[in-house]
Amino acid sequence: MVGFYQEVRGVYLFPAAFREIGGTKWGYINAKGKVVLPPIYDQAEDYQDNGLAIVHLMDKSGIINEQGYFIVKPKYDTIQSFSEGRSIVNDREGNKVIDESGKVITDRAYTVINPEYIQGRVEAAETDEQGNYRYGYLNKRGKIVIPLIYESTSEFTEGRAVVKTLKGQYQLIDLTGKVLQTYPYAWVGNYGQGLLSFKKSNDGKYGYIDIQGNIVMEPKFTTAERFVDSRAVVSIDGDQRDLYGLIKPDGTYIIKPHYNGIVYLGENRFAIGKELDPKQACIRSIFAVADHEGHLLTGFIFREIGHFQDGLASVSDDQFTYFIDTLGNRVVHLPQVSGGGWLSFDKTLIKGEIDQRLIYFSQTNELIWEQASIFPLTKQLAILEQKYRPNFDYLIYYPEIKGMTNSAQVNEKLMEMAGVKPVPSIPLEYSYTGDFEITFFMKDLLVLEITGYEYPFCSAYGMPIKKYAHINLRTGKFYQLKDLFKAGSPYVKAISDLIEEQIKSNDEYSYLFPNEYHGIQSAQPFFISETGLNIFFHPYDIASFSAGFPTFMISFHELKEWIDVNGEFWRTFRS
């Protein structure tokens, strides 16, 4: 993975995550690690250079200022980061543009608005009566400055953008929409430094033309990226995969096409990717750093490389994350952290996102703040967060209970549920990440949510995993669904019928597969919460993969006829 983002900020507050009973909450700390804005948000993003931050509450997004006051209340489905003083927001009406006061400046919602303003323009689209998208551009006042009359558009670069007309012609336009050139080719790509990639036929290869449409490089590439700093990344057909190289504007190779990938890192540096396993190129790449002339400055040792800024880039190898300079040398006076991820300068601090956990350092390498790994339940009981990372592609955080009898047996089962198992140190054919939350704790009952995601390399997507452990903290017993109900009671049919009623009466469940719900199983996945019994289904059980884990809440009152109120399970959390 390649990518690194650093920004200049005007507010000296930093997002921080705190695990609590009921889930993880986010707040903000200052440069000394002291909590300034309490952890009340479901998610909190960085403060931007305008002194505003996007936060999330109850599946909605809002914007706060440095005092924590809402400039925009949590009412939007999504809010994009500000660019050129504008942000794109989305609600049930569609996409709109707001200014830094939170005021909507578009006079209507659009089907699509691209996330970022560039050179005072943002791409927008509406659908016509036939459902076809029609693209154009908005200015910073939220008004249409270039009509929505195109089949496709692209972002502006150097005041120019490539558009495709409804007649299928590709044109180069300026910021006012004036047509600078029309091209007679089947496809024309984004403009960059006076050159554009193109194809003579839709199923043909890529070459380059100049602004006038003259062919500068005949089509011979399987991909051809925009020219930046007088270099462009291209690829050719290889043995069952594309091979990437780097060219000059005259078409000569700086780096011959032998590699699994090449990414421009800024400051005349490139990440050169080589496959870990030549037989399965899509599994993983390992990277080296090269200069503008194609000279390798490092060996192929990096799993992740960020973009260079002010002469520094964040990198991760098999063991550590740290900064390198433009010669590829580790910067020894800056942090080196065990694990994979990113380091970035965040005004007065260095922010680390390492193995899916936050950490902050001073710029003199002093640890300022890190996420807690101990979560007290009572004076005697606590949950410890343990990490298992035997391989770069295998990372699990799992819970360990301290202070209870039978803890060894309980913790062994929790490790098994979390996926802790022998894993070789060599590259795997899949990646796995696992985590947990403390979702419920009352009297003697502890409920832990254990999640995971397994992704087989070369697949379109992986499979999410969700399990719940209901533990009696006195006895160490793990409860099943049947333990909540009277022996011999028809709880399966009762719950099945109640869920069926919810499906029929609530449009919220319109995403379910038609006629695929046939009731629950006796060992149906479930979890207890303050509001009642929650029944859930795995992906594909009754809905598509994108639906996640369809969940149905049933109040205890609705189940009172069948609940064993004198049973051990019920009495662990209710009197």
Side-chain angles (χ1 to χ4, degrees), residues 47 54 93 111 179 244 293 307 403 493:
Y47 271 92
I54 300 167
E93 295 176 351
T111 307
V179 177
Y244 289 82
E293 298 303 321
H307 287 88
K493 184 179 188 308

Side-chain angles (χ1 to χ4, degrees), residues 403-538:
M404 66 172 292
T405 57
N406 303 319
S407 61
Q409 184 177 356
V410 170
N411 289 327
E412 184 177 348
K413 184 166 183 178
L414 288 174
M415 291 174 66
E416 180 184 342
M417 291 180 67
V420 177
K421 61 182 181 180
V423 174
S425 59
I426 60 174
L428 305 176
E429 295 183 358
Y430 66 97
S431 66
Y432 188 83
T433 55
D435 212 332
F436 72 96
E437 294 284 1
I438 307 167
T439 62
F440 184 78
F441 171 58
M442 185 175 291
K443 293 181 63 179
D444 295 323
L445 182 66
L446 174 68
V447 181
L448 297 170
E449 179 190 68
I450 296 173
T451 56
Y453 187 79
E454 182 172 323
Y455 171 67
F457 296 126
C458 309
S459 298
Y461 50 81
M463 180 59 68
I465 296 166
K466 182 186 290 188
K467 306 173 184 177
Y468 284 86
H470 295 74
I471 307 166
N472 185 322
L473 292 173
R474 284 190 303 105
T475 66
K477 181 175 181 178
F478 285 71
Y479 292 112
Q480 302 177 46
L481 181 60
K482 66 179 182 180
D483 297 325
L484 187 61
F485 300 98
K486 299 173 184 175
S489 68
Y491 73 91
V492 171
K493 184 179 188 308
I495 295 173
S496 298
D497 291 345
L498 288 168
I499 291 176
E500 187 170 11
E501 287 180 17
Q502 290 189 33
I503 294 172
K504 290 179 178 179
S505 61
N506 194 335
D507 290 339
E508 173 190 349
Y509 300 112
S510 60
Y511 64 85
L512 301 180
F513 291 142
N515 304 318
E516 282 299 313
Y517 173 73
H518 303 295
I520 71 164
Q521 304 297 315
S522 59
Q524 186 73 28
F526 77 102
F527 61 94
I528 295 294
S529 65
E530 290 186 8
T531 53
L533 173 67
N534 300 266
I535 298 292
F536 67 94
F537 293 81
H538 293 297

Side-chain angles (χ1 to χ4, degrees), residues 45-61:
E45 301 182 21
D46 285 331
Y47 271 92
Q48 299 172 50
D49 56 5
N50 57 10
L52 302 176
I54 300 167
V55 295
H56 308 273
L57 273 172
M58 301 295 290
D59 294 325
K60 295 294 180 182
S61 300

Side-chain angles (χ1 to χ4, degrees), residues 337-358:
V337 188
S338 177
W342 310 103
L343 292 166
S344 61
F345 284 89
D346 202 347
K347 203 66 174 180
T348 58
L349 298 183
I350 295 174
K351 178 182 181 181
E353 298 174 81
I354 310 297
D355 284 350
Q356 302 183 357
R357 291 295 186 265
L358 270 178

Side-chain angles (χ1 to χ4, degrees), residues 190-235:
N190 292 345
Y191 170 84
Q193 296 189 305
L195 295 175
L196 306 95
S197 55
F198 84 106
K199 293 198 294 185
K200 290 182 179 179
S201 61
N202 287 323
D203 58 353
K205 293 185 180 297
Y206 295 86
Y208 287 92
I209 56 175
D210 61 20
I211 291 179
Q212 289 73 37
N214 302 311
I215 296 176
V216 175
M217 284 175 254
E218 288 288 342
K220 60 181 179 180
F221 306 115
T222 54
T223 62
E225 297 183 13
R226 182 204 311 266
F227 270 90
V228 180
D229 291 341
S230 300
R231 299 290 186 268
V233 176
V234 297
S235 68

Side-chain angles (χ1 to χ4, degrees), residues 297-330:
L297 304 176
T298 70
F300 288 89
I301 58 175
F302 302 121
R303 292 299 194 101
E304 297 167 314
I305 307 182
H307 287 88
F308 277 92
Q309 188 163 344
D310 298 327
L312 299 174
S314 170
V315 298
S316 293
D317 58 25
D318 280 332
Q319 292 183 293
F320 299 103
T321 298
Y322 48 92
F323 286 105
I324 60 171
D325 60 23
T326 53
L327 296 178
N329 300 313
R330 184 171 87 81

Side-chain angles (χ1 to χ4, degrees), residues 133-146:
Y133 287 92
R134 296 292 177 256
Y135 290 86
Y137 296 86
L138 308 180
N139 62 17
K140 290 179 65 176
R141 297 191 304 276
K143 308 299 181 184
I144 295 176
V145 65
I146 300 175

